[in-house]
Structures are given as structure tokens and as C-alpha cells.
Amino acid sequence: MKTLWKHCHVASMAGGGYSIIEDAAIVTSGELIEWIGPQADAPTEDFAAVVDLDGAWVTPGLIDCHTHTVFGGNRSGEFEQRLKGVSYAQIAAAGGGIASTVRATRAASEDELFASAEQRLKRLLQDGVTTVEIKSGYGLDLENERKILRVIRRLGTLMPATVRSTCLAAHALPPEYKDRSDDYIHHVCSEMLPALAAEGLVDAVDAFCEYLAFSPAQVEQVFICAGQLGLPVKLHAEQLSSLAGSSLAARYQALSADHLEFMTEADAMAMGAAGTVAVLLPGAYYFLRETQLPPMDALRKHGVDIAIATDLNPGTSPALSLRLMLNMACTLFRMTPEEALAGVTINAAKALGLGDTHGSLEVGKFADFVAWKIERPADLAYWLGGDLDKRIVRHGIESV
Ligand code: DI6
Ligand code: FE
């Protein structure tokens, strides 16, 4: 079935910039874009449907390429404690932090995890997201990592979104492996990843490379295991310190390295040469009141594609709006609105290995787009949150 979507302006994001088409039209055939260009040049044929977009600005559907959307409980109580002067260390010593989310996630049923994640995912989708990556990482044993990954697959089946799963078993040390991180990494590589990959639950593998998590040597074991399983890798790197995790990620042709506040120019050079995408997470930077900015000049100098994501998680980035991250990326990291929009479209697609099918409005790609009632594309980064008037189309079908 072919549809003509007319009377609009398009920021196609083809090639990484706005790539604007004024007075445009789009022809979709089934799930894909069949034609896009000036409306005056549009094919004239008997379309099954013609939709007047009333002068809206059309962008690719937004892509949130880094989330931890599936988890039990929440940590607003810790947020309040910290604002009353309780330190992270005191909270962790009392069993708070990631450990408390692990306990809540292990205690929750698959249905309970699905129900809570569904509500969070609905907020992201209402904001214009059509593709989302969701990580495991709060189970930290085979049974509970499997439970989270099964929920992620169910969300992809039941929600109007493309959902990609990332196994982040190497997120934190589970209590049963206290002071035995090498043994846990061995368990992740010898038992957990092979089983979860064999069950078709994993699209990519991630790890947390940090002094309070896992070392580059331990991360490298996870990367080698992922390679043996034919799975691409990503990495939480240089969030709190400089361990050259992002250079390690580049050496393994990682899809992305994420956070990156403490990365060096050498890391940026390695990522640029490897084509590893830099995923910046301004929500975590803001929520933690960090002061070390990612090296934007080095990233630009070495041609590193920059993506932006919510990092939706209960501890450091309880963010339910990808559009708000656009504003934070501009206001805090000094990205331009054009760079920021590329960060949640074509570059986010590349960070998920989906650059050939998603992230820009080009013939042959999926017809995932949002028609926004805005003055210009920069409005998407300008307005702080809020629910902009929009029409969302995913795989050629308008969401109701
Ligand atoms: N970096 C983060 O900021 C989160 N995980 C990670 O690797 C923290 C997750 C949490 O605090 O629950
Ligand atoms: Fe994260």
C-alpha cells in the first residue's frame, strides 16, 4: 500500500546534517520510504492514501541508543537522602545504589518488570522515539539477566517501536561474588553470555569499565567472548576516570563507547579511526552534577560521530524525555541543535549498528518519522521538555 505524505518540510538527516527539503513530500510503500523530495516533483499516481501534514517539520523518528529501561523499584528515596546531605558512600554502605536495584529486580516477576518498563517506554515513545536500545544489567546472574532480556524482547513485540537488546551482565559485581570480580567475569563469559546468546536474547554486549566496576583487562575478556559469539560490543567508558576504556572499545571495533567525560584526545583519535560512535549522556552528567565535560573539540577534530541518549536508569539518569537530552547536549555540552538532532537520529542508529536501515529519511530506509508542529528543527532542542504537538509514523503506520 502506497501513501503520499504531503505539505511538509523535511530535515532528513541524510549525511549527518539537517539536509533540509522545503515544501516536501514523502511516498511510503509498506514499511519503507519509496520516494522523498520537493512536493512539486512528487510522483503522480493513484495512492491508497494521501495525508496532508499541514506544514509540519518532519524528522526521522528519534532513536534512544542507550537506556536501562527494565529494572525493579526506584531510587527517589536516595535522591531525597542525598539532598539532605547523606553521601553516596553512606547510601552504598547501607545497601543502596545499584545493589538496591539489583535486589528489587531479582525480587520482581517478569510480568512486574514488563509492566513498569512499559510505562517508562510509553513516555519515551510519546516524545517521538521510534527505536530504543535497552540493556540488562540489574540481574547479575543467569536467571535474572535472562528475565530482563526476555522482558526487552516482549517490549519489542508488543510496543510500536524497534527495540534492541544489549546484555550488560558486566555492569556491577553481584553480592555472591563479593571481592571475586575475576571469578564473576569468568562466569559471565563461560556461562551467561553463551546461554543468553544461544536463546536469541542478545543483540549486543556492553560492560562498565570504571574503577568501581570492571578493569580494561576484565572488559577485554568480555569483548573476546562477545566476538566468539558473533555479537557486537559497546562500552560504558571514561564516565568517572580515564582508564582508556574507549580506546579498548575502538580496538574491538565497538559500535559505541558511552559517557566519555574523562576520555583523552588519544581515545578520540582511536574512536575516529575505528568508526566507534561516541554516545554522550547529558542526563547522567546533569543528575550527578558532574563538572568534567566530554572533550567536544577532540571528538569533532577526529571525526567521531556523536550520539546522545537518555541513559534512562534509576540511579544516575531517571530521564523520561530524549528531547530534554537534546537541550542538555546543547546547553551543557555546547553542541549545536543540528549536531544534537543528528545525535538522536543517524548517529544513534550507527551506535546500534542500524545505520543502513534507520536514522535518516532516505529511499529504502524504514519509514520512521515524526511530523512536528514547530517553527524550525532547532525547536526540538530549544523547548525544555513538554509534549510538542506531533504525528508519529513507524514503519509507514501512524501511531494513534
Ligand atoms: N553508569 C551509570 O551511571 C549507571 N550505570 C553505569 O554503568 C548507574 C546505574 C545505577 O546507579 O543504577
Ligand atoms: Fe548507562
Short mmCIF file of all heavy atoms in Angstrom, two decimals, residues 261-286:
data_model
loop_
_atom_site.label_atom_id
_atom_site.label_comp_id
_atom_site.label_asym_id
_atom_site.label_seq_id
_atom_site.Cartn_x
_atom_site.Cartn_y
_atom_site.Cartn_z
N GLU A 261 33.14 11.46 29.59
CA GLU A 261 33.56 12.75 30.16
C GLU A 261 35.07 12.81 30.35
O GLU A 261 35.69 13.86 30.16
CB GLU A 261 32.87 13.00 31.51
CG GLU A 261 31.40 13.45 31.41
CD GLU A 261 30.43 12.28 31.30
OE1 GLU A 261 30.87 11.14 31.06
OE2 GLU A 261 29.22 12.52 31.43
N PHE A 262 35.70 11.71 30.71
CA PHE A 262 37.13 11.70 31.02
C PHE A 262 37.99 11.12 29.88
O PHE A 262 39.15 10.78 30.10
CB PHE A 262 37.38 10.92 32.32
CG PHE A 262 37.01 11.69 33.56
CD1 PHE A 262 35.70 11.70 34.01
CD2 PHE A 262 37.95 12.44 34.25
CE1 PHE A 262 35.34 12.43 35.14
CE2 PHE A 262 37.61 13.17 35.38
CZ PHE A 262 36.29 13.17 35.82
N MET A 263 37.45 11.02 28.69
CA MET A 263 38.24 10.48 27.58
C MET A 263 39.32 11.48 27.18
O MET A 263 39.22 12.69 27.40
CB MET A 263 37.34 10.15 26.38
CG MET A 263 36.93 11.34 25.56
SD MET A 263 35.86 10.92 24.19
CE MET A 263 36.90 9.85 23.24
N THR A 264 40.41 10.96 26.56
CA THR A 264 41.53 11.79 26.12
C THR A 264 41.47 11.97 24.61
O THR A 264 40.68 11.31 23.92
CB THR A 264 42.87 11.08 26.45
OG1 THR A 264 42.91 9.85 25.67
CG2 THR A 264 42.95 10.75 27.93
N GLU A 265 42.34 12.86 24.10
CA GLU A 265 42.40 13.05 22.65
C GLU A 265 42.85 11.75 21.97
O GLU A 265 42.37 11.40 20.90
CB GLU A 265 43.34 14.19 22.28
CG GLU A 265 43.48 14.35 20.75
CD GLU A 265 43.78 15.74 20.30
OE1 GLU A 265 44.08 16.60 21.16
OE2 GLU A 265 43.71 15.98 19.08
N ALA A 266 43.74 11.00 22.64
CA ALA A 266 44.16 9.70 22.06
C ALA A 266 42.97 8.76 21.92
O ALA A 266 42.82 8.05 20.92
CB ALA A 266 45.24 9.07 22.93
N ASP A 267 42.08 8.78 22.91
CA ASP A 267 40.87 7.95 22.83
C ASP A 267 40.02 8.40 21.63
O ASP A 267 39.52 7.58 20.86
CB ASP A 267 40.02 8.10 24.11
CG ASP A 267 40.68 7.52 25.35
OD1 ASP A 267 41.39 6.49 25.23
OD2 ASP A 267 40.50 8.09 26.44
N ALA A 268 39.88 9.73 21.48
CA ALA A 268 39.05 10.25 20.39
C ALA A 268 39.65 9.87 19.03
O ALA A 268 38.93 9.48 18.11
CB ALA A 268 38.93 11.77 20.50
N MET A 269 40.98 9.95 18.94
CA MET A 269 41.65 9.58 17.69
C MET A 269 41.38 8.11 17.36
O MET A 269 41.03 7.75 16.23
CB MET A 269 43.16 9.82 17.82
CG MET A 269 43.90 9.84 16.51
SD MET A 269 45.68 10.05 16.77
CE MET A 269 45.73 11.59 17.68
N ALA A 270 41.48 7.26 18.37
CA ALA A 270 41.25 5.82 18.16
C ALA A 270 39.81 5.56 17.74
O ALA A 270 39.55 4.77 16.82
CB ALA A 270 41.58 5.05 19.44
N MET A 271 38.88 6.25 18.38
CA MET A 271 37.45 6.05 18.05
C MET A 271 37.16 6.54 16.64
O MET A 271 36.45 5.88 15.88
CB MET A 271 36.57 6.76 19.07
CG MET A 271 36.53 6.09 20.43
SD MET A 271 35.54 6.99 21.63
CE MET A 271 33.90 6.83 20.90
N GLY A 272 37.75 7.68 16.28
CA GLY A 272 37.53 8.21 14.92
C GLY A 272 38.05 7.26 13.87
O GLY A 272 37.39 7.00 12.85
N ALA A 273 39.23 6.68 14.13
CA ALA A 273 39.82 5.76 13.14
C ALA A 273 39.01 4.47 13.02
O ALA A 273 38.90 3.89 11.94
CB ALA A 273 41.26 5.43 13.57
N ALA A 274 38.40 4.06 14.14
CA ALA A 274 37.65 2.78 14.15
C ALA A 274 36.19 2.95 13.72
O ALA A 274 35.51 1.97 13.45
CB ALA A 274 37.70 2.16 15.55
N GLY A 275 35.71 4.20 13.73
CA GLY A 275 34.29 4.41 13.42
C GLY A 275 33.39 4.10 14.61
O GLY A 275 32.19 3.91 14.46
N THR A 276 33.97 4.07 15.80
CA THR A 276 33.19 3.83 17.02
C THR A 276 32.46 5.12 17.40
O THR A 276 33.08 6.18 17.50
CB THR A 276 34.11 3.37 18.17
OG1 THR A 276 34.70 2.11 17.80
CG2 THR A 276 33.35 3.22 19.48
N VAL A 277 31.17 5.03 17.61
CA VAL A 277 30.35 6.21 17.89
C VAL A 277 30.53 6.63 19.35
O VAL A 277 30.58 5.78 20.25
CB VAL A 277 28.86 5.93 17.60
CG1 VAL A 277 27.97 7.12 17.98
CG2 VAL A 277 28.67 5.58 16.12
N ALA A 278 30.62 7.94 19.60
CA ALA A 278 30.64 8.48 20.97
C ALA A 278 29.20 8.74 21.38
O ALA A 278 28.51 9.56 20.76
CB ALA A 278 31.44 9.77 21.01
N VAL A 279 28.73 8.03 22.40
CA VAL A 279 27.38 8.27 22.90
C VAL A 279 27.49 9.10 24.17
O VAL A 279 28.02 8.65 25.20
CB VAL A 279 26.64 6.95 23.20
CG1 VAL A 279 25.24 7.24 23.78
CG2 VAL A 279 26.49 6.11 21.93
N LEU A 280 27.03 10.33 24.11
CA LEU A 280 27.09 11.24 25.26
C LEU A 280 25.77 11.18 26.01
O LEU A 280 24.69 11.09 25.41
CB LEU A 280 27.38 12.67 24.78
CG LEU A 280 28.66 12.83 23.95
CD1 LEU A 280 28.89 14.31 23.61
CD2 LEU A 280 29.87 12.24 24.64
N LEU A 281 25.89 11.27 27.35
CA LEU A 281 24.73 11.04 28.22
C LEU A 281 24.58 12.23 29.16
O LEU A 281 24.93 12.17 30.36
CB LEU A 281 24.95 9.73 28.98
CG LEU A 281 25.17 8.51 28.06
CD1 LEU A 281 25.64 7.30 28.84
CD2 LEU A 281 23.91 8.19 27.26
N PRO A 282 24.05 13.33 28.66
CA PRO A 282 23.97 14.56 29.46
C PRO A 282 23.07 14.44 30.68
O PRO A 282 23.26 15.16 31.66
CB PRO A 282 23.43 15.61 28.47
CG PRO A 282 22.79 14.82 27.38
CD PRO A 282 23.53 13.54 27.29
N GLY A 283 22.12 13.49 30.65
CA GLY A 283 21.24 13.33 31.81
C GLY A 283 22.02 12.86 33.03
O GLY A 283 21.81 13.37 34.14
N ALA A 284 22.96 11.91 32.84
CA ALA A 284 23.77 11.44 33.97
C ALA A 284 24.72 12.53 34.41
O ALA A 284 24.89 12.77 35.62
CB ALA A 284 24.54 10.18 33.58
N TYR A 285 25.31 13.25 33.48
CA TYR A 285 26.21 14.38 33.80
C TYR A 285 25.46 15.40 34.66
O TYR A 285 25.94 15.85 35.70
CB TYR A 285 26.70 15.02 32.50
CG TYR A 285 27.51 16.28 32.67
CD1 TYR A 285 28.90 16.22 32.79
CD2 TYR A 285 26.90 17.53 32.72
CE1 TYR A 285 29.66 17.38 32.95
CE2 TYR A 285 27.65 18.69 32.89
CZ TYR A 285 29.02 18.60 33.01
OH TYR A 285 29.75 19.76 33.19
N TYR A 286 24.25 15.71 34.24
CA TYR A 286 23.42 16.72 34.96
C TYR A 286 22.99 16.18 36.32
O TYR A 286 23.16 16.84 37.35
CB TYR A 286 22.20 17.03 34.09
CG TYR A 286 21.07 17.76 34.77
CD1 TYR A 286 21.08 19.14 34.90
CD2 TYR A 286 19.97 17.06 35.29
CE1 TYR A 286 20.04 19.82 35.53
CE2 TYR A 286 18.93 17.73 35.92
CZ TYR A 286 18.96 19.10 36.03
OH TYR A 286 17.93 19.78 36.67
#
